Amino acid sequence: MNPSSESVLSIEGATCQGCVRRIRAALEGLVSDPETVRVDLDRQQVELPAGVDADEAARRVSDAGYPATPTDAAGAGSDDQARPDRDGSAQGDSEQGGSDQGPAKEARSEARASSGEQDVIELAISGATCSSCVSTIEKAMKSVPGVRHAHMNLADQTATARGKADPDALIKAISSAGYGARVIEDPDRADAERDREEAAAFRTMMVKMAFSLGLGAVMMVWGMGFGSMMVSEDNRLTWLVFGGLTLLVLVFTGGHYYTGAWKAFRHHNANMDTLIALGTGTAWLYSMVVVLFPELLPAMARHVYFEASAMIIGLINLGQALEMRAKGNTSQAIRRLLDLRAKTARVIRDGEEQDLPVEQVRVDDHIRVRPGEKLPVDGEIIEGSTRIDESMLTGEAMPVNKSEGDSVSAGTINSQGSIVYRATRVGSDTALAQIISLVKKAQGSKPAIGRLADDISAVFVPTVMLIAVATALVWFNVGPEPRAVHMLVAATTVLIIACPCALGLATPMSVMVGVGKAAEYGALIRQGDALQTAGKLDLIVLDKTGTITRGKPTVTHIEPAGDQQEDELLALAAGIERHSEHPLAEAIVRKADEDGVEARSVSDFEALNGKGVIGRYRNQALRLGNRRWLSGEGIDLAGLDSAAERITKDAGTPLFLALDDRAIGVLGVADALKDDSIDAIRRFHDAGLRVVMVTGDIEATARAIARQTGIDEVRAEVLPEDKARIVEEFRQQGYKVGMVGDGINDAPALAAADVGFAIGTGTDVAIESAAITLMRGSLHGVVDAIEISRATVRNIHQNLFGAFIYNSLGIPVAAGLLYPIWGVLLSPIIAGAAMSMSSVTVVTNANRLRLFRTSRHTQANSEGTK
């Protein structure tokens, strides 16, 4: 590959910002500035700057643990360019309150389309019941040529493959491993179909459960009340009939466990089905030997366990049915989001209005929306004005005024007034569709704590089988009489009670509920690792403009020097700033328009990052910028010190204006605090976090804002490229750092943090720099996400503790640990019930998260009841 051009690596296994840091660290020395290396976790690609040897880079990244290969870099996408901030920070489009719907968005979409990104194949899986099944399915998928990454979500029975693989080959590989699979063509239809299938499966399971438990109960009552569980000449025929009926139970109500075990065996695997099939099958075979050939066993060992086999199958079916019913509740967040969508749209075509299914709406269609109706797609108002209820997307309770030229989003509600708007994004491109996609993806992601459970589960089933064999050998060789009976009971009980279904569900169930709960509070979590790490943060770094403040500054002071006039000063400032799109520039130009001041004609405009702007007015150099820059240019600003001090005391930013080498005045531009910033920072402190503000603004202004809000530490006059360095500095001090910014200009700092939070709006949800995107521009969303993270991780720990303790204590007891002390040997029936109920308990505990309320909402509710 030509090292003189930009190049791209395709990688495997990168899942979090920690992976990003390790990849960049591996490229140190090869790349002059590792921060220029862009790692796209979604596409599993690394974009290298020009001049880098791609083959050597691939070798280093592979050595770091992420298999990499060079690919064609043509058309590789890049993020929008950030505008340099006058005070040294950077200001992205999202701070303007815009929705990223213009040329930059289109360019980014085109870049992605031409980058040759990997295909994503989604499959609906059937037959998976435990984490061992997950491991088997993922292994089967990875064996298919072209698959670079494979992941299965046990909670919603879906699997995702990334790469250039044949879907039919994936289905064949999964089928040969013993599971069913089909390609998901339409996710919405697949969700509805899965709901129908689960409802039907629930009814089937309940019927099977009733038949199995009913027969088991009859045999138990007959054996204990009218006959005996010991085979004799008098009851052999009866037990033979019961044995035949039990076989029917095993085949028709538990046959899927046996076929699953057989398929796993054929592929040298073992899973939950293996344990169930071995346990119940052994009990039935032993009982049949007792009935058919009693003379082969001593009289004390002629005990049958037909009722145990039937009741174990029944109890496991009951547990899976209850588990299925409880799992359905975890996807309620997705269902609520799906319910926001309009089903039809009133489209104006050829001068006529017609109601069409929303799927038939095209870009640039004109759509009429009447009061009380949902908006079907994203667009821009071209006729009328109204108030739009955006609470379902942004969490803001008050409707927002909208008029011609304003953007609107699908799923929001037109509160009043009839409007006509032009469709700009339809189908899967709408903001609501992106939100649903992000939530679904995050619900299927796997945090590090979940991967630990998978690693354990991968060896758990074979280990249990060895324990069962060892248990059988011990009981057969040193156990009391009847040894064969004790051996069978102990080994069967070990196999049944050790089924790792609870272990496999512990993490994904909590993640599904936690991600959905975060979405309800306006926080879109893109990665499972972010959900886990956010709760561990102990330091938050905040950008100032657009994060703590409104991001829409206004001119508060105009202080001329000498005999200069205010209008002349404003006219010169507006003349140079009208060439800029920066928010500070817009504030100055807007002030001139409001005061009726005509901007002067300025040529040769140039913006200097972190300094200011320069141009020429009547053959003189006209500069507008910060003190450090103008002082460095040899301009004496001493006469403006008192004016600048007044500006900074009011938390404003002084911008000095100079003509050639003479200072002619200073303008004060202030960005007001957001209404809830002070309360949000107080919540950070209540949550035990240290708060640091990093800004390019001058020291005095930054400290004034810090005093108003209660921020602990200020890093002022920082250039945009230094923010990532400061974040890394805090991390090296041992802090777990969260970075909050606008998601575009703060991209390096967001990537450098343990968790990046992108402050955005409901229509700006595709920010790739951050692990968590907030749908509204409030810092309360960051605290909400942290509290939800802590609650979710706590819930996962509870689930894992229950699953591990259950197996850790259950297996020794099942093996007969208590028998020498109290003569207690656990019944296989009790083991089957306990195993099933453990899964139900885990799922029920995960559903408790649905009742979680953040501290802000809890406080608001308590105040409302006073």
Side-chain angles (χ1 to χ4, degrees):
M1 185 169 290
N2 182 7
S4 64
S5 61
E6 292 186 1
S7 50
V8 174
L9 306 180
S10 290
I11 58 174
E12 295 181 37
T15 58
C16 63
Q17 295 303 323
C19 301
V20 173
R21 288 192 292 272
R22 285 190 286 274
I23 290 171
R24 287 174 174 164
L27 295 173
E28 286 184 2
L30 185 64
V31 179
S32 57
D33 181 7
E35 294 299 327
T36 61
V37 175
R38 185 171 182 272
V39 182
D40 191 320
L41 296 175
D42 285 343
R43 289 152 49 188
Q44 291 288 286
Q45 289 183 346
V46 176
E47 296 179 12
L48 303 171
V52 175
D53 187 335
D55 293 327
E56 174 62 18
R59 185 189 65 78
R60 293 191 180 196
V61 173
S62 298
D63 291 344
Y66 306 94
T69 54
T71 61
D72 183 11
S78 61
D79 285 337
D80 296 350
Q81 296 297 316
R83 297 190 299 272
D85 202 344
R86 254 359 99 61
D87 55 17
S89 62
Q91 200 67 22
D93 288 339
S94 63
E95 289 186 355
Q96 300 299 312
S99 60
D100 196 6
Q101 296 178 7
K105 177 75 175 182
E106 296 171 3
R108 195 154 62 232
S109 299
E110 292 171 2
R112 283 202 187 99
S114 62
S115 64
E117 64 179 280
Q118 301 171 21
D119 292 336
V120 177
I121 303 171
E122 294 190 15
L123 303 169
I125 305 296
S126 59
T129 54
C130 65
S131 50
S132 296
C133 303
V134 172
S135 177
T136 300
I137 291 170
E138 290 179 348
K139 183 178 178 181
M141 293 170 68
K142 290 176 182 177
S143 68
V144 176
V147 174
R148 305 194 65 84
H149 178 72
H151 167 66
M152 183 192 165
N153 184 356
L154 179 65
D156 67 358
Q157 296 286 296
T158 61
T160 303
R162 294 181 181 275
K164 296 290 184 180
D166 180 6
D168 292 334
L170 282 169
I171 293 173
K172 184 177 179 181
I174 294 172
S175 299
S176 65
Y179 304 91
R182 68 174 187 276
V183 175
I184 297 175
E185 300 288 354
D186 183 345
D188 297 340
R189 188 179 302 168
D191 289 340
E193 190 171 330
R194 185 176 67 243
D195 289 343
R196 289 194 298 270
E197 289 176 352
E198 288 185 352
F202 175 79
R203 292 190 295 270
T204 301
M205 285 285 190
M206 293 301 289
V207 171
K208 290 181 176 180
M209 176 274 299
F211 186 62
S212 302
L213 290 184
L215 178 62
V218 168
M219 287 189 288
M220 185 176 292
V221 170
W222 185 87
M224 297 175 62
F226 303 97
S228 171
M229 306 304 289
M230 303 294 291
V231 174
S232 64
E233 288 299 326
D234 296 333
N235 61 19
R236 276 184 67 187
L237 182 59
T238 302
W239 279 121
L240 185 60
V241 173
F242 279 138
L245 292 175
T246 303
L247 179 60
L248 293 178
V249 167
L250 298 183
V251 171
F252 292 106
T253 71
H256 52 290
Y257 300 121
Y258 294 92
T259 55
W262 171 246
K263 290 178 180 178
F265 173 75
R266 286 175 52 209
H267 291 85
H268 312 292
N269 293 319
N271 56 22
M272 190 190 84
D273 293 342
T274 306
L275 301 182
I276 296 172
L278 282 174
T280 56
T282 302
W284 181 83
L285 284 172
Y286 176 86
S287 300
M288 287 302 294
V289 169
V290 170
V291 172
L292 296 174
F293 311 104
E295 65 277 1
L296 297 179
L297 297 168
M300 294 177 61
R302 296 171 186 173
H303 193 292
V304 292
Y305 291 95
F306 292 130
E307 89 291 351
S309 295
M311 294 192 75
I312 287 169
I313 293 294
L315 290 168
I316 293 173
N317 284 336
L318 173 61
Q320 290 194 354
L322 296 177
E323 174 190 311
M324 192 179 301
R325 173 61 59 88
K327 280 200 300 185
N329 294 329
T330 62
S331 57
Q332 282 193 358
I334 287 291
R335 289 194 181 96
R336 278 193 288 268
L337 289 172
L338 293 173
D339 289 342
L340 295 178
R341 299 176 306 178
K343 302 296 187 294
T344 61
R346 181 171 289 270
V347 180
I348 304 174
R349 290 181 182 169
D350 301 324
E352 296 184 0
E353 296 184 7
Q354 50 185 317
D355 289 325
L356 297 176
V358 71
E359 294 82 10
Q360 296 181 18
V361 177
R362 301 189 298 261
V363 173
D364 290 332
D365 271 344
H366 290 187
I367 303 167
R368 182 178 298 281
V369 182
R370 293 165 295 193
E373 293 182 337
K374 289 181 182 178
L375 276 68
V377 296
D378 292 358
E380 180 181 294
I381 296 177
I382 59 175
E383 181 183 315
S385 61
T386 186
R387 290 172 63 83
I388 299 291
D389 180 359
E390 298 181 334
S391 59
M392 65 287 297
L393 287 180
T394 67
E396 301 292 349
M398 296 299 295
V400 181
N401 291 319
K402 298 283 185 177
S403 57
E404 292 183 14
D406 288 336
S407 59
V408 290
S409 299
T412 57
I413 298 175
N414 182 23
S415 298
Q416 62 184 46
S418 176
I419 59 170
V420 176
Y421 73 99
R422 179 178 62 86
T424 57
R425 292 190 290 187
V426 302
S428 60
D429 291 330
T430 66
L432 180 59
Q434 292 180 38
I435 291 171
I436 294 171
S437 176
L438 284 175
V439 173
K440 282 185 175 181
K441 180 180 176 183
Q443 285 186 330
S445 63
K446 189 178 299 181
I449 193 171
R451 290 190 288 273
L452 170 64
D454 286 349
D455 292 340
I456 294 172
S457 298
V459 298
F460 186 78
V461 173
T463 302
V464 168
M465 293 173 67
L466 292 175
I467 293 173
V469 171
T471 299
L473 291 174
V474 170
W475 277 99
F476 189 75
N477 287 285
V478 300
E481 294 292 348
R483 293 183 179 182
V485 171
H486 287 120
M487 174 190 73
L488 175 68
V489 171
T492 300
T493 307
V494 167
L495 290 170
I496 297 300
I497 203 168
C499 288
C501 356
L503 186 62
L505 291 168
T507 300
M509 297 304 299
S510 296
V511 168
M512 284 189 69
V513 181
V515 169
K517 178 60 65 174
E520 289 180 20
Y521 281 90
L524 301 181
I525 298 173
R526 300 180 67 224
Q527 303 157 8
D529 280 329
L531 179 65
Q532 178 179 344
T533 307
K536 301 177 182 177
L537 298 178
D538 47 25
L539 185 142
I540 288 288
V541 176
L542 304 177
D543 181 37
K544 177 180 75 70
T545 309
T547 301
I548 302 173
T549 61
R550 294 181 183 275
K552 191 172 183 179
T554 57
V555 176
T556 57
H557 298 74
I558 302 176
E559 303 279 355
D563 58 354
Q564 294 289 326
Q565 300 296 314
E566 285 190 15
D567 285 353
E568 179 64 17
L569 196 67
L570 182 58
L572 287 170
I576 192 170
E577 290 288 29
R578 69 179 180 177
H579 298 282
S580 172
E581 296 180 355
H582 192 278
L584 299 184
E586 293 177 4
I588 292 172
V589 173
R590 186 170 59 250
K591 175 65 173 175
D593 291 340
E594 291 172 354
D595 291 357
V597 174
E598 183 178 354
R600 298 290 181 258
S601 177
V602 177
S603 61
D604 300 334
F605 171 83
E606 183 181 359
L608 304 176
N609 190 16
K611 298 176 180 179
V613 293
I614 185 172
R616 296 201 67 79
Y617 172 69
R618 294 180 178 176
N619 292 324
Q620 299 180 81
L622 181 64
R623 296 180 180 87
L624 179 66
N626 59 40
R627 175 188 292 273
R628 183 172 54 184
W629 174 46
L630 291 181
S631 296
E633 295 291 311
I635 297 172
D636 183 11
L637 303 176
L640 297 171
D641 283 346
S642 59
E645 186 176 347
R646 287 194 298 273
I647 293 171
T648 55
K649 282 185 178 179
D650 293 336
T653 299
L655 298 176
F656 295 90
L657 188 64
L659 199 57
D660 272 346
D661 57 356
R662 180 171 57 92
I664 61 174
V666 59
L667 287 81
V669 182
D671 189 4
L673 291 174
K674 292 181 180 178
D675 295 336
D676 55 6
S677 288
I678 295 175
D679 287 339
I681 290 170
R682 185 182 300 117
R683 287 183 67 202
F684 279 126
H685 290 143
D686 292 342
L689 287 95
R690 179 175 177 80
V691 184
V692 179
M693 180 173 68
V694 177
T695 177
D697 213 339
I698 64 172
E699 186 85 17
T701 300
R703 294 203 175 277
I705 291 177
R707 284 193 299 272
Q708 293 178 33
T709 57
I711 288 173
D712 301 304
E713 184 178 343
V714 173
R715 298 288 185 94
E717 302 183 36
V718 173
L719 295 175
E721 56 267 27
D722 291 333
K723 291 183 179 180
R725 177 185 55 77
I726 292 172
V727 168
E728 193 61 42
E729 178 185 317
F730 282 121
R731 293 186 68 251
Q732 291 174 0
Q733 294 174 15
Y735 287 105
K736 284 284 187 181
V737 181
M739 170 68 192
V740 187
D742 67 8
I744 300 174
N745 59 296
D746 295 316
L750 288 166
D754 291 286
V755 179
F757 297 86
I759 291 281
T761 64
T763 53
D764 190 13
V765 299
I767 300 175
E768 298 179 3
S769 309
I772 299 177
T773 299
L774 306 178
M775 289 187 286
R776 56 181 182 269
S778 170
L779 287 174
H780 277 300
V782 180
V783 194
D784 290 343
I786 291 173
E787 291 182 357
I788 291 169
S789 167
R790 292 177 176 177
T792 302
V793 172
R794 187 164 56 246
N795 192 272
I796 291 173
H797 284 153
Q798 292 166 355
N799 288 345
L800 289 175
F801 177 81
F804 278 122
I805 289 299
Y806 165 80
N807 286 316
S808 299
L809 296 180
I811 291 175
V813 173
L817 183 65
L818 302 181
Y819 189 85
I821 305 173
W822 293 301
V824 175
L825 192 59
L826 194 64
S827 166
I829 297 175
I830 297 176
M835 183 273 287
S836 296
M837 290 303 104
S838 69
S839 297
V840 175
T841 300
V842 164
V843 176
T844 303
N845 186 56
N847 271 294
R848 286 195 311 108
L849 273 175
R850 295 172 51 233
L851 306 177
F852 176 80
R853 296 290 181 270
T854 65
S855 59
R856 178 165 60 114
H857 287 76
T858 302
Q859 180 181 358
N861 290 339
S862 63
E863 291 175 352
T865 57
K866 290 181 180 178

